[in-house]
Structures are given as structure tokens and as C-alpha cells.
Amino acid sequence: ETVGVPTTLAATLLAAVVLAGYTDPVPLVAATAVFALLMGSTITYPDLHAQDAMVMGLVQAAVILTPLGRMATPMLPPWIGEGFAFALLFLASAYLILGPAFYWGDGIGGSDGELGK
């Protein structure tokens, strides 16, 4: 587990926001400040399970590789890259918001039977 928001999660969220098309600098700077505060918080984030990390990695790879695929062939629709960026934004945001309370290893409440511990 990690105490405070993981740096990689904050960076992934900021990058996904920009790749999804939100580039106004004021909210981005504000979000960066909020993430800096959350990184120093005492909120505990559980480590991702291997299969979940694999899904996040595949979506990240798709976000990166889609523009290369678009350059190679016009057959890929233009919206597909933004679709992967929004998927990455959704997955990372869900983990940011729900991870500390609802991400468990062995079912609801984990091995000790208490939700969110």
C-alpha cells in the first residue's frame, strides 16, 4: 500500500485529462496543486492487483500507440485516440476516488471482514 496519492496516479490523471482534450491551464494548475496536497496526505491507497495493473497498462499503451497507428493508416477513426484517453481518465479517476475505501484483495472488506480497511 501507499500512503498518500501515488505520484504515478496523479501524473496519469493529468496526462489523461490533457490527452482527452482539456487543456485550459488554470484548472490543470489547480489540479496539480490538489494532487501535491493529496500526495502528502495520510490516505492509504492499496497496491493494484496484477490484472488491474495490466488493464491500466494496456489502456495507457493504446493511448500512446493510437496516434502512431493513425499516422500509419487512415483506417483508424479519428475519435479512437480520445476514446482511449477517456477510458484511462475513467479508470484512474475511479481508483483515485474509490481505491482507498473499496479496492480489496479477497472480496468485500478483504480478509478482516471490514469494508475499506
Side-chain angles (χ1 to χ4, degrees):
E1 58 188 35
T2 303
V3 177
V5 170
T7 306
T8 53
L9 177 60
T12 297
L13 278 163
L14 289 171
V17 165
V18 171
L19 290 170
Y22 301 108
T23 57
D24 185 8
V26 174
L28 289 174
V29 170
T32 302
V34 169
F35 283 133
L37 291 172
L38 289 173
M39 283 185 233
S41 72
T42 58
I43 300 169
T44 301
Y45 279 82
D47 291 335
L48 284 175
H49 298 172
Q51 70 271 14
D52 298 332
M54 177 70 88
V55 169
M56 289 284 282
L58 289 173
V59 173
Q60 287 175 340
V63 169
I64 294 166
L65 295 175
T66 299
L68 298 175
R70 292 261 320 129
M71 288 190 308
T73 177
M75 294 180 63
L76 286 175
W79 51 264
I80 198 162
E82 281 186 11
F84 284 124
F86 277 106
L88 181 60
L89 182 59
F90 174 78
L91 291 170
S93 295
Y95 180 63
L96 174 73
I97 296 165
L98 302 174
F102 297 109
Y103 191 80
W104 53 82
D106 300 320
I108 294 178
S111 59
D112 61 1
E114 292 185 40
L115 184 63
K117 287 251 174 172

